[in-house]
Amino acid sequence: MPDQGGSRQNVTFPSNGRTAHGYLARPPQGVGPGLVVVQEWWGLTSHIADMADRFAAEGFTVLAPDLFGGATTHDGTEAARFRRELPVDRAVEDLAGAVDHLLALDGVVGDAVGVVGFCMGGGFALLLAARAGDRVAAVVPFYGLPPDPDFDYRGLTAHVLGHFGELDGSIPMAAVDEAAIRIGEATDVRPEIHFYPAGHAFMNDENLIGTYDPLQARIAWRRTVTFLWGHLG
């Protein structure tokens, strides 16, 4: 069923000659490193806005771009259709525009940002990091890989922290290992990968597919915040 809450947009920014939309959350102190949060295939939902708020509370200036142009859903079939109809190149352009927008904002410190992505967004986070080069200093994919298993990671210079579920039927552990090997072969990056005794989307407390695991989510959260501050602070 469609998400009656709708997309959590509150900001616009230029992207490749178009106007893109997203959700911006600022830290309490008003100053902090920039962080792009990339949505799941459900859209820019309340869950993604909540994640942006949580990262902002940890001291980051966070921008979550809306890759679906305002559409959200809680229906898996519809979400899969949204994903199929999303041009990958356009999505990466919007994400690159989000990086530019963050780095130009007052209160954003440093000359590079972090990127965290969930599910579909985890794959896009890696695509963005490879495109953006040294403008992305740290990338954290949660249970997501690029749609092309043979993706060329040359251009990626960011530190990589990956979170994946041992019980995730959609992303086999072997596929994660292969992606880490490809990154290591194409770049100087040595990804830090963690596997959890959990299924896909174990961080999503809306629990849309029944796999939310609060304990593993807390562990992954603390690792992520520590990692981001280590490379952006």
Side-chain angles (χ1 to χ4, degrees):
M1 61 178 290
D3 179 0
Q4 299 303 318
S7 174
R8 293 289 301 274
Q9 297 177 355
N10 67 359
V11 69
T12 61
F13 57 93
S15 176
N16 197 39
R18 300 183 299 107
T19 297
H21 298 77
Y23 180 81
L24 180 69
R26 293 185 179 269
Q29 65 273 28
V31 177
L35 181 67
V36 176
V37 169
V38 192
Q39 68 185 56
E40 297 169 302
W41 70 352
W42 310 112
L44 182 54
T45 61
S46 56
H47 167 65
I48 295 300
D50 177 65
M51 295 301 297
D53 289 338
R54 288 178 61 188
F55 279 117
E58 295 283 353
F60 301 96
T61 300
V62 187
L63 177 56
D66 187 342
L67 299 180
F68 289 164
T72 63
T73 186
H74 284 166
D75 178 78
T77 299
E78 189 171 38
R81 177 173 62 82
F82 288 167
R83 169 63 189 88
R84 287 194 306 271
E85 294 176 352
L86 176 66
V88 172
D89 289 345
R90 192 192 75 189
V92 176
E93 287 172 358
D94 284 349
L95 295 172
V99 172
D100 293 339
H101 184 68
L102 271 177
L103 290 174
L105 283 179
D106 291 339
V108 172
V109 299
D111 55 7
V113 304
V115 183
V116 178
F118 300 90
C119 183
M120 176 193 81
F124 280 130
L126 289 167
L127 295 177
L128 171 63
R131 168 174 171 158
D134 58 10
R135 291 188 302 148
V136 173
V139 57
V140 185
F142 277 83
Y143 34 81
L145 293 172
D148 178 4
D150 297 323
F151 177 70
D152 185 350
Y153 289 94
R154 283 179 296 181
L156 186 150
T157 61
H159 299 275
V160 178
L161 171 66
H163 304 292
F164 297 88
E166 296 173 356
L167 309 178
D168 188 341
S170 63
I171 303 181
M173 295 171 65
V176 179
D177 291 340
E178 179 62 26
I181 291 170
R182 292 185 67 84
I183 291 172
E185 289 176 342
T187 73
D188 294 328
V189 177
R190 298 296 177 264
E192 177 184 342
I193 304 296
H194 294 277
F195 290 102
Y196 300 79
H200 190 73
F202 64 84
M203 278 289 292
N204 190 332
D205 56 8
E206 292 185 348
N207 205 26
L208 299 180
I209 61 174
T211 53
Y212 172 58
D213 189 316
L215 174 58
Q216 304 309 319
R218 287 196 296 272
I219 294 170
W221 175 259
R222 292 319 315 169
R223 283 174 172 164
T224 298
V225 172
T226 299
F227 175 83
L228 290 172
W229 273 115
H231 298 295
L232 298 176

